[in-house]
Amino acid sequence: MMGPIKTNYLMSAFLLIIPLFNAAHASTLVTDPSRIVFVGSHCKNLSADQIRVDLQNRLHIDLSSFPAVTAAEPSKGCLIKIPYSLTEPNLAASLVLKGTYAQGTADHLTGVLRVGSAGQVGPASLLTLSESPQGKFDWQQPLVISRSELGEDTLKISMFLKAEVAKSPPSEPKSSESSALQFQPLELILDHVSTRQP
Amino acid sequence: MNLKSILASSILLTSATSFAGYVKHGNLNVDQDSVRFVGDCSDADSFVSFNDDGSFDLVFTNLEAVALGSPARKTCMLKFNAKVPSGLTLAVSKVGIAGTSEINSEDGSASATLRHTLAGTVGDATIAEYKYDPSAGLRDVVLEKKFSVLSKSYIPCGKDVNFKTTISLSAKGQDADIVITEAAQKGKTYSVRYYWTWKHCS
């Protein structure tokens, strides 16, 4: 079931570069997925074992081992650094974050996806999950990327999830809905399309 | 061990570690043992990741100021020592911070301040301030600052780097929140990126 998802895209275009892993593709940023770095204690279980590239050259990062956001631990975050080599200045790309959530009626779940590269801290795309008590989210963010300098760089993707648990009066016991609160990312997918003109 | 692997090991040792306890990131040789997070942060919730060019990224997973009537303030300092090669000096050329803010009361406001100190010289502050805006909701906080040639402070030639950066968050009002993060609303993460400018000196 797809719950109501409200997204607030704070940017129309990221001035970034997207790496992919196909040496044969003219626009591809040939690099080694095993050199991807995960920064932060919440992504300590992530490694190159969770990374794969599919036949369409999309980069998949399995986040099922990323700890879920719960009422007891309401905030989680991770920074992923992907080395790449840019071979052309303009690329269009997309970033997809998939996962599941469950929340009480007055709880509030939010997510932030931020993409940056060397030379800049990128803007964020903000996700708010509300109304529906549970469901899946499939959060897609288009990226239009350009850069004047080619060559080696590092793409940074940060992902932060946060739950605001509804506050109950002290006399009232916590509802079972709140205690079941969960916000679990499952997969991050990086895709790209070359925008090079023939 | 064959000659090839000995050579590879030697190159690796030379390029990765110039001094005991020091790790080379570009021209910067960082004393890993000197990296400290002080104040309302610690190495349990704050992480530094150096890049090949000597720049670095920070992630904070618990740096947030929340005001629910009483004002709130959080301060976190990162400090480390480093060596630079003979004949080179450096200055901070660019800094960026990122996070989110949400202000839900008319009397609410929030701010973030970033200031660095390089070899005893205090740099210009980078400040972001936010007021109540009923249509804003959760707001992205992104601040990037480039230091002009005139405002750059280079360390004295031949002097080692003693670097400090301080992040201060402030929230006031009945319902105001700011998190400087590399994502995550109210959340607890923060990213800072520093870039160095190098020049020859004598």
Side-chain angles (χ1 to χ4, degrees):
Chain A
M1 165 185 164
M2 176 69 74
I5 296 177
K6 178 185 172 189
T7 55
N8 177 10
Y9 293 107
L10 292 175
M11 59 195 165
S12 57
F14 282 137
L15 297 178
L16 297 170
I17 304 159
I18 294 299
L20 284 179
F21 305 94
N22 175 7
H25 196 290
S27 67
T28 308
L29 315 154
V30 182
T31 185
D32 179 2
S34 67
R35 289 174 57 214
I36 293 176
V37 174
F38 299 93
V39 184
S41 58
H42 298 148
C43 48
K44 65 183 179 186
N45 294 331
L46 300 177
S47 69
D49 294 341
Q50 277 78 43
I51 298 167
R52 68 179 176 88
V53 180
D54 68 17
L55 294 175
Q56 285 74 46
N57 294 318
R58 291 175 299 200
L59 172 71
H60 296 254
I61 300 177
D62 180 355
L63 298 174
S64 56
S65 62
F66 187 86
V69 166
T70 62
E73 296 184 62
S75 181
K76 296 281 168 57
C78 180
L79 172 66
I80 304 168
K81 300 173 78 168
I82 305 172
Y84 68 87
S85 178
L86 185 67
T87 56
E88 66 177 77
N90 298 301
L91 290 174
S94 67
L95 195 59
V96 179
L97 181 65
K98 295 183 175 186
T100 61
Y101 70 95
Q103 62 181 335
T105 51
D107 294 338
H108 189 58
L109 298 177
T110 57
V112 180
L113 268 182
R114 192 181 301 278
V115 185
S117 68
Q120 48 192 313
V121 174
S125 177
L126 309 178
L127 165 73
T128 301
L129 296 169
S130 57
E131 299 171 23
S132 178
Q134 62 181 353
K136 295 177 181 176
F137 61 91
D138 191 339
W139 182 18
Q140 183 160 348
Q141 174 179 294
L143 308 173
V144 176
I145 297 151
S146 65
R147 188 162 171 253
S148 57
E149 295 177 15
L150 305 184
E152 291 284 332
D153 206 339
T154 300
L155 179 80
K156 300 189 301 176
I157 300 171
S158 61
M159 171 190 70
F160 289 86
L161 307 176
K162 167 105 176 162
E164 279 185 77
V165 183
K167 294 178 179 65
S168 307
S171 56
E172 292 181 17
K174 266 194 160 308
S175 72
S176 58
E177 282 181 325
S178 287
S179 62
L181 185 144
Q182 191 175 57
F183 193 8
Q184 174 69 61
L186 294 174
E187 188 177 35
L188 187 69
I189 303 169
L190 196 58
D191 197 358
H192 88 302
V193 178
S194 171
T195 55
R196 188 176 61 174
Q197 298 301 309
Chain B
M1 186 179 281
N2 60 28
L3 182 61
K4 200 172 182 180
S5 57
I6 291 171
L7 257 178
S9 303
S10 303
I11 291 168
L12 190 67
L13 280 172
T14 306
S15 61
T17 310
S18 300
F19 309 92
Y22 282 77
V23 176
K24 187 170 167 56
H25 304 284
N27 286 326
L28 205 63
N29 283 289
V30 178
D31 179 359
Q32 292 298 119
D33 297 333
S34 70
V35 178
R36 294 278 185 279
F37 290 97
V38 182
D40 297 311
C41 58
S42 71
D43 57 9
D45 56 26
S46 307
F47 308 91
V48 60
S49 173
F50 284 91
N51 300 303
D52 292 342
D53 61 358
S55 65
F56 61 88
D57 301 299
L58 293 173
V59 175
F60 294 85
T61 57
N62 192 26
L63 191 57
E64 177 179 26
V66 183
L68 296 171
S70 303
R73 188 174 179 84
K74 290 282 179 69
T75 300
C76 173
M77 176 190 281
L78 163 71
K79 53 198 290 190
F80 65 81
N81 301 326
K83 291 181 182 295
V84 300
S86 175
L88 282 179
T89 182
L90 83 163
V92 175
S93 57
K94 186 191 287 185
V95 58
I97 60 176
T100 57
S101 179
E102 187 167 12
I103 299 166
N104 294 319
S105 63
E106 289 186 20
D107 65 345
S109 65
S111 67
T113 304
L114 173 69
R115 192 186 293 276
H116 68 267
T117 303
L118 180 63
T121 302
V122 180
D124 294 341
T126 306
I127 303 171
E129 292 183 290
Y130 299 90
K131 302 283 187 188
Y132 173 69
D133 177 351
S135 64
L138 179 67
R139 280 185 277 196
D140 188 20
V141 172
V142 173
L143 256 170
E144 283 197 286
K145 181 168 185 171
K146 292 181 182 176
F147 291 89
S148 68
V149 174
L150 291 176
S151 67
K152 283 178 186 170
S153 299
Y154 287 88
I155 64 168
C157 199
K159 188 169 181 177
D160 290 346
V161 177
N162 181 267
F163 182 81
K164 297 176 189 172
T165 185
T166 304
I167 301 141
S168 298
L169 307 182
S170 173
K172 297 174 184 172
Q174 293 301 310
D175 189 348
D177 171 279
I178 187 162
V179 188
I180 300 303
T181 125
E182 262 265 357
Q185 78 87 25
K186 287 178 175 184
K188 311 188 167 196
T189 311
Y190 194 143
S191 175
V192 182
R193 183 158 193 157
Y194 276 98
Y195 294 85
W196 309 108
T197 295
W198 296 86
K199 70 176 184 181
H200 292 282
C201 62
S202 58

